[in-house]
Amino acid sequence: MRRRIKLGALAAGAAAFVVALPVLGQDAPQSLLPPGFGAPSPKAEKPAAPTLAGPGQAAPGAAPAAVPSADEAVAESSPTLLPSDIAKLAAAEVTPPAEMPDAAKRSLALVGTNPVYGSDAFGDADGRYLATLMRRMQAPIASRWAEIMLRRALVGATPAPPGESETDWVADRAALLLRLGEADAARILVQGVDVERFSPRLRRVAIESALATSDPQGLCPLPDGDEQVGGQPAWPMIRAICATLAGDTATANATIGRGPPNDSIDHPLAERLVAAGGGGRRDIQVDWTGVDALTDWRFGLASALGIAIPQTMLDGAPVWYEGWLARAPMLSASDRIGPARIAAALGVISSEDLVDLYGRVMDEAGDEDTDSPAGRLRAAYRGDDDDARLSAMHALWDAASNGNGGERDRYAASILTARAAAGITPSSDQKDDVAPLVASMLAAGLDIQAERWASVAEATSGTDGDRAWAILAVGARRPVVAIDAARVRKFADRAGASGVQRSALLISALAGLGRLNDADAAKLAKRLGVTLGQSSAYGNALRRAVSAHQRGTVALLAAVGMQSSTWTGVPAGDFYQMISALRAVGMENEARMISAEAMTRL
């Protein structure tokens, strides 16, 4: 159960950016771009493209070792989203570059991990423009794979772009990572800067990252400030916590004081931490009754203490708290399973790590209950034969389908069983299962294994056959199923009115990947009322990033275009533009995985 199975590298390729599809009409859903969305001043094109990995080589999308593993390896944009004063707008939101302090110990030139997309991933894009996009992005985004791609771009060591200070460049990237649920990746960036060099913004993000990683000790190196928690000064509580963590109970007792009589949560949490270290009062009660919202302070201290946060509180909080909770070290593995499933669907937790967590649940239980989720997962991987393993997988998939977790939890079940699905031998006897098996494998990027099912998918009729065919049509490394206008039309006709979004995104993905020619794509799109390739603020921004070969900017813009909690809110016209752009800058692997995810989750 606890073995760690490494994902094979995905082959990378480059292709021309397709921009020539005719203009057609379409309506709903609405554009997802942030208010005030804009573009930087035109820059000179970069003539050289980065070297891409060939077959058998490590792909440029492989996850950096320093970051938590993450598996690897139908609408228009509004044409009025680009205000003429974008530079003024962004400058008003971004702190001007600060002078380098004399006491600096470490360089701020490149803060982060090995840059998967190159140290020039953002090129010479205007820093005010990038900061505005990052600060206004609404999380979560629809795609797990787009989130993984964005994390790689943000955590990589890249120089601060023009118009953004080096410290604020770290802060803006880390702040967005926190909102994506990526607490550990954000902490990596924050810890790459000496405290003496923190800007005010980076200081705030450092506080958030310490709380997000359930590590109050991360607050101790910071100087006192005027931050407040629940209307009371935070730093006396923090100094008391830090004193008790250092073994200085006398200082902790003298500093902690007493909270306001109406405070049942914020000060009591601090007192509980002090008491856990041997200081303060021992009879402190933490009462969530009447608490109106979950905050970073409440999350960080409660999870550090191993105190369960009420599910009703989590349900009303932004989903990134689930991502933080999934990696909280003081909680038991069983308490982390629910958050980890959500985090996996978001892109924060890998298939490999999710399987390991289930293994730890079984270890904690001390027995192998074959009817438990962990027991069924064990059977999915180690059953006596394919039928036994498939039966166990179905039990996991069905439990998610019939549960209360919704589509996100159903996708988490696919992520969980990915490597078990890869172990099933392709056979026409399993044609009824070809769609969920292919979907599961590609949920973790196992494209080579999924491609082995191409002949079974093509021989399968009905809805299952259509779904398996569509996933492979966009997710395989090369065309392994027949792709032509007639096949796509048949898919769309059978999908009907309830499947218009799925059909529209399929056409967009196939066109963006260059697997469906422009004329056919135009005709098929017209039948659905979809517009592909028309001039828009979003498309123009992507084209500029492609022209400058800014892979990081393309990744950021792709995420901007997917600001929706579900795939039903992703505009097909924008989807075509982002898939085309990713392919054009050598990120076809990412484009394929995002497209396959769309076909799986819709």
Side-chain angles (χ1 to χ4, degrees):
M1 278 298 301
R2 300 184 62 185
R3 56 182 177 169
R4 300 182 70 82
I5 310 167
K6 300 299 181 184
L7 174 65
L10 305 177
F17 185 28
V18 183
V19 295
L21 285 184
V23 177
L24 305 170
Q26 175 184 358
D27 54 21
Q30 298 303 310
S31 170
L32 300 172
L33 303 180
F37 174 87
S41 302
K43 306 290 183 183
E45 293 186 20
K46 294 187 178 180
T51 302
L52 302 173
Q57 296 176 288
V67 184
S69 62
D71 278 322
E72 6 351 84
V74 224
E76 304 289 324
S77 290
S78 167
T80 61
L81 291 171
L82 280 173
S84 59
D85 62 342
I86 180 63
K88 179 179 179 181
L89 170 66
E93 295 191 9
V94 181
T95 303
E99 294 184 4
M100 299 279 282
D102 295 335
K105 296 179 181 179
R106 289 182 289 175
S107 172
L108 291 173
L110 292 172
V111 176
T113 64
N114 178 46
V116 171
Y117 300 130
S119 59
D120 62 344
F122 295 93
D124 55 0
D126 192 320
R128 298 168 298 179
Y129 165 66
L130 296 175
T132 299
L133 291 181
M134 288 191 287
R135 294 183 185 187
R136 291 183 174 185
M137 185 177 296
Q138 300 297 308
I141 57 177
S143 170
R144 155 185 167 80
W145 283 91
E147 195 276 349
I148 291 170
M149 174 180 66
L150 181 57
R151 182 193 62 237
R152 292 170 175 168
L154 294 175
V155 81
T158 52
E164 174 92 317
S165 74
E166 291 175 317
T167 51
D168 281 352
W169 178 236
V170 174
D172 282 326
R173 290 183 288 153
L176 179 51
L177 285 166
L178 287 172
R179 297 201 309 279
L180 293 171
E182 297 280 1
D184 290 321
R187 191 72 182 275
I188 286 171
L189 290 180
V190 170
Q191 290 183 333
V193 180
D194 295 318
V195 172
E196 296 84 357
R197 307 185 69 179
F198 280 8
S199 65
R201 179 161 175 76
L202 184 53
R203 172 192 166 88
R204 293 193 298 273
V205 175
I207 293 171
E208 292 170 2
S209 68
L211 295 170
T213 51
S214 311
D215 181 21
Q217 191 164 6
L219 301 170
C220 299
L222 299 175
D224 292 358
D226 58 2
E227 289 83 7
Q228 291 194 341
V229 171
Q232 55 189 311
W235 285 92
M237 293 187 284
I238 291 172
R239 288 298 159 236
I241 292 170
C242 294
T244 198
L245 291 172
D248 185 357
T249 57
T251 299
N253 289 334
T255 308
I256 188 61
R258 297 248 180 181
N262 61 343
D263 179 8
S264 66
I265 189 74
D266 295 318
H267 201 280
L269 282 170
E271 289 190 85
R272 281 285 291 270
L273 267 175
V274 171
R281 297 182 293 147
R282 300 293 192 273
D283 58 345
I284 306 303
Q285 299 299 314
V286 173
D287 184 7
W288 293 94
T289 304
V291 176
D292 58 352
L294 185 61
T295 63
D296 294 356
W297 176 267
R298 294 164 186 171
F299 173 89
L301 270 59
S303 55
L305 286 162
I307 295 175
I309 299 170
Q311 188 59 48
T312 53
M313 193 69 61
L314 288 166
D315 291 342
V319 73
W320 61 72
Y321 284 108
E322 301 277 9
W324 300 356
L325 198 61
R327 47 85 50 220
M330 296 301 292
L331 298 180
S332 67
S334 58
D335 286 339
R336 290 164 53 202
I337 285 291
R341 289 174 70 98
I342 294 173
L346 293 175
V348 177
I349 296 292
S350 71
S351 170
E352 186 178 359
D353 288 342
L354 189 58
V355 170
D356 282 350
L357 185 60
Y358 273 80
R360 287 195 287 276
V361 169
M362 185 170 285
D363 290 346
E364 289 177 354
D367 59 26
E368 297 183 5
D369 179 1
T370 56
D371 291 329
S372 69
R376 289 170 178 166
L377 184 61
R378 181 184 180 87
Y381 279 85
R382 297 187 179 181
D384 293 337
D385 53 31
D386 281 357
D387 286 342
R389 290 192 287 272
L390 267 170
S391 178
M393 278 185 262
H394 271 291
L396 293 167
W397 296 335
D398 293 345
S401 296
N402 297 326
N404 298 321
E407 185 278 328
R408 186 179 283 155
D409 195 54
R410 292 193 291 275
Y411 188 52
S414 291
I415 297 168
L416 178 65
T417 59
R419 286 167 176 79
I424 302 297
T425 302
S427 168
S428 59
D429 294 338
Q430 312 294 359
K431 62 182 181 181
D432 291 342
D433 294 313
V434 62
L437 286 170
V438 168
S440 184
M441 285 180 262
L442 284 173
L446 304 179
D447 52 358
I448 296 174
Q449 294 86 339
E451 288 167 10
R452 298 184 300 143
W453 289 83
S455 61
V456 180
E458 293 230 86
T460 303
S461 60
T463 301
D464 288 340
D466 276 352
R467 186 172 292 275
W469 170 83
I471 295 169
L472 287 172
V474 298
R477 295 166 298 162
R478 62 190 185 284
V480 294
V481 293
I483 303 171
D484 55 32
R487 184 66 180 90
V488 177
R489 186 182 302 110
K490 186 181 297 184
F491 176 93
D493 288 346
R494 283 203 285 250
S498 63
V500 168
Q501 175 74 347
R502 182 166 67 251
S503 299
L505 292 191
L506 173 64
I507 295 168
S508 297
L510 289 173
L513 291 167
R515 298 180 180 185
L516 192 65
N517 68 55
D518 293 358
D520 287 340
K523 292 177 183 177
L524 290 165
K526 186 176 182 178
R527 294 178 77 240
L528 298 176
V530 176
T531 299
L532 302 181
Q534 79 169 17
S535 178
S536 68
Y538 184 66
N540 292 339
L542 278 168
R543 275 185 275 274
R544 280 189 290 270
V546 168
S547 178
H549 209 86
Q550 296 169 359
R551 302 174 93 187
T553 307
V554 171
L556 177 59
L557 286 168
V560 166
M562 304 187 80
Q563 293 176 94
S564 171
S565 59
T566 67
W567 276 92
T568 57
V570 177
D574 290 349
F575 192 62
Y576 162 73
Q577 302 274 18
M578 70 180 73
I579 296 300
S580 299
L582 289 169
R583 177 171 173 248
V585 294
M587 298 167 72
E588 186 167 352
N589 294 333
E590 290 84 346
R592 291 189 295 108
M593 293 302 102
I594 292 170
S595 300
E597 181 185 349
M599 295 301 98
T600 296
R601 301 184 70 174
L602 280 169

